[in-house]
Amino acid sequence: GDSVTQMEGPVTLSEEAFLTINCTYTATGYPSLFWYVQYPGEGLQLLLKATKADDKGSNKGFEATYRKETTSFHLEKGSVQVSDSAVYFCALLNTGGFKTIFGAGTRLFVKA
Amino acid sequence: GAVVSQHPSWVICKSGTSVKIECRSLDFQATTMFWYRQFPKQSLMLMATSNEGSKATYEQGVEKDKFLINHASLTLSTLTVTSAHPEDSSFYICSARGSGAGYSNQPQHFGDGTRLSIL
């Protein structure tokens, strides 16, 4: 079945460091891919999405490119801030799908 | 953007009582709503999926008589935890997806969650 695999956390970075959180997926067909962010004590917020191969989703300085050849959707940010500390979830929704499949989440800590 | 409102955000109650959590889509019609449970430092566990006007579909291992879900309209779904016990304490999150054109690619929009503590 469909699945999403994320790098294990926690990831700890200093402010202004470069961030990469790896995400790979297994799916039949052509899924849409998403990154969600969860701040402490809150629900999930959609961060960015890509609906087809080679699409790049971007928001708030974060980017992720839909790579069908490597079945990946890695999240990147050039310069993280303390306020980026949160849990990040990679997710997919397959064509004609009904349920979004979530990765396990990666916790990010950014130190001042 | 799409907004999902979840209420209450925090509830503390005695063991044996029932607790109702509401989930509303504020600016779109949600054909499908999802209820998740999240344990500390873990990912979301899908409990059930509800479609407006029909019975909810529960995931394996989730007690349907324990967690009653009602999706009475295109903008409201409720989760009732019946006869709650301390082991039901958790963070519950609802999510909704819109209907209409492009539905199959639409992301889910999440409420802010309800922290339930059973004493």
Side-chain angles (χ1 to χ4, degrees):
Chain A
D2 297 347
S3 66
V4 176
T5 303
Q6 288 180 238
M7 62 187 290
E8 284 193 28
V11 173
T12 303
L13 296 173
S14 297
E15 208 165 21
E16 299 183 2
F18 184 86
L19 168 72
T20 300
I21 300 179
N22 290 338
C23 171
T24 56
Y25 67 90
T26 302
T28 56
Y30 303 93
S32 295
L33 302 174
F34 309 93
W35 276 100
Y36 287 87
V37 58
Q38 183 179 31
Y39 297 101
E42 298 183 12
L44 276 69
Q45 300 175 26
L46 178 66
L47 182 59
L48 54 85
K49 69 175 183 178
T51 57
K52 61 183 187 298
D54 299 325
D55 267 3
K56 177 186 283 187
S58 61
N59 185 25
K60 300 180 181 179
F62 291 90
E63 293 183 341
T65 301
Y66 189 140
R67 301 283 188 203
K68 188 166 177 61
E69 63 276 14
T70 54
T71 61
S72 65
F73 193 54
H74 305 321
L75 182 68
E76 296 182 336
K77 186 175 185 181
S79 176
V80 294
Q81 305 300 312
V82 172
S83 57
D84 293 327
S85 298
V87 181
Y88 292 82
F89 292 92
C90 185
L92 74 82
L93 177 65
N94 212 334
T95 306
F98 191 63
K99 293 186 291 189
T100 302
I101 308 298
F102 289 90
T106 303
R107 187 173 297 273
L108 170 66
F109 292 106
V110 180
K111 303 180 296 184
Chain B
V3 178
V4 173
S5 174
Q6 188 172 340
H7 178 81
S9 57
W10 195 11
V11 59
I12 302 173
C13 60
K14 293 182 180 180
S15 184
T17 58
S18 294
V19 178
K20 179 184 283 188
I21 302 169
E22 291 188 350
C23 181
R24 295 180 184 272
S25 57
L26 298 184
D27 55 358
F28 66 102
Q29 292 186 328
T31 305
T32 306
M33 288 188 173
F34 305 85
W35 288 95
Y36 295 86
R37 184 172 180 176
Q38 187 179 33
F39 294 99
K41 299 184 179 182
Q42 294 188 26
S43 188
L44 290 77
M45 182 191 79
L46 180 64
M47 299 173 65
T49 303
S50 70
N51 289 298
E52 184 265 338
S54 63
K55 289 184 178 180
T57 302
Y58 290 81
E59 296 299 299
Q60 192 171 11
V62 178
E63 299 176 61
K64 60 181 66 177
D65 295 331
K66 173 72 153 176
F67 300 99
L68 300 179
I69 291 171
N70 183 275
H71 193 156
S73 75
L74 284 171
T75 59
L76 173 64
S77 177
T78 61
L79 167 67
T80 301
V81 184
T82 62
S83 187
H85 292 283
E87 59 266 28
D88 298 323
S89 299
S90 192
F91 192 55
Y92 293 88
I93 307 175
C94 76
S95 176
R97 181 187 296 149
S99 56
Y103 169 82
S104 63
N105 285 333
Q106 292 303 308
Q108 292 179 212
H109 301 283
F110 288 82
D112 283 338
T114 298
R115 187 161 303 283
L116 175 62
S117 297
I118 309 298
L119 304 177

